[in-house]
Amino acid sequence: MEKIGTIAKRVISITSFLLIMMIIISIFISLNNSKPLSLFGYKPLTVLSNSMVPTFEAGDVIITREIDSEDLKEGDIISFYNQEGNLITHRITSIVGEVGEKHFYTQGDNNNTEDEDVTTANEIVGKELFHIPNLGFLSQYTKGPMGFLLFIIIPLAGYMCLSVYERIKQKKKEEEFTKS
């Protein structure tokens, strides 16, 4: 029975380490890539302007999901690339066209006029599912050297030290058991 507990601890330990490494690698990839990070079709995006106030504000993080353009309707909030290649998140005000050739007119909730550019299906990154207030400020902070140290390096070093300590403790326990 004790052997099963030891195996379970090792599996949990290895899984935790792999998860932490995946997160770190994902952060590095997203820092060096202009496209948003996608995990199973879900993309966290940091809001940079107040064009969607009161729905969400600059500094919030929105979670979007890739979606077929045929499933979009008026009132949905979408993230898309505009003509300049900037990632924008606005509400659909109207949809014009037929199946496969739809054009989406959008507008920020805090803007007085519709966006000048018409969005096509291939420019859409995803549909907003929910948002987390102010998490974007933390995200931006972790991209800097001090944030990287505080939120990535120190926890990873702590995890490794704890793992080494547990192994040393386990070996001492086994040595004491074999001596007696």
Side-chain angles (χ1 to χ4, degrees), residues 61-94:
V61 167
I62 59 170
I63 305 299
T64 63
R65 188 189 75 200
E66 295 172 3
I67 188 167
D68 189 314
S69 64
E70 298 299 321
D71 296 330
L72 294 171
K73 60 188 182 308
E74 287 183 26
D76 285 344
I77 298 172
I78 58 170
S79 295
F80 57 93
Y81 287 102
N82 67 3
Q83 300 291 333
E84 293 81 38
N86 298 322
L87 192 57
I88 309 290
T89 301
H90 282 169
R91 189 177 304 277
I92 297 174
T93 56
S94 63

Side-chain angles (χ1 to χ4, degrees), residues 116-154:
E116 287 182 25
D117 299 332
V118 177
T119 304
T120 59
N122 63 342
E123 296 168 325
I124 296 174
V125 173
K127 176 183 172 184
E128 186 252 353
L129 298 176
F130 63 92
H131 72 280
I132 305 166
N134 300 315
L135 185 63
F137 293 124
L138 179 63
S139 169
Q140 289 298 104
Y141 182 72
T142 58
K143 289 181 181 179
M146 187 57 107
F148 183 76
L149 180 69
L150 282 173
F151 292 102
I152 306 297
I153 300 298
I154 291 175

Side-chain angles (χ1 to χ4, degrees), residues 4 9-10 18 23 44 47-48 56 61 81 92-93 100 104-105 124 128 134 163 175-176 178:
I4 294 173
K9 283 182 182 179
R10 281 191 178 158
L18 290 175
I23 291 170
V47 178
L48 301 177
F56 42 80
V61 167
Y81 287 102
I92 297 174
T93 56
F104 300 87
Y105 291 86
I124 296 174
E128 186 252 353
N134 300 315
S163 295
E175 286 175 5
E176 287 177 10
T178 55

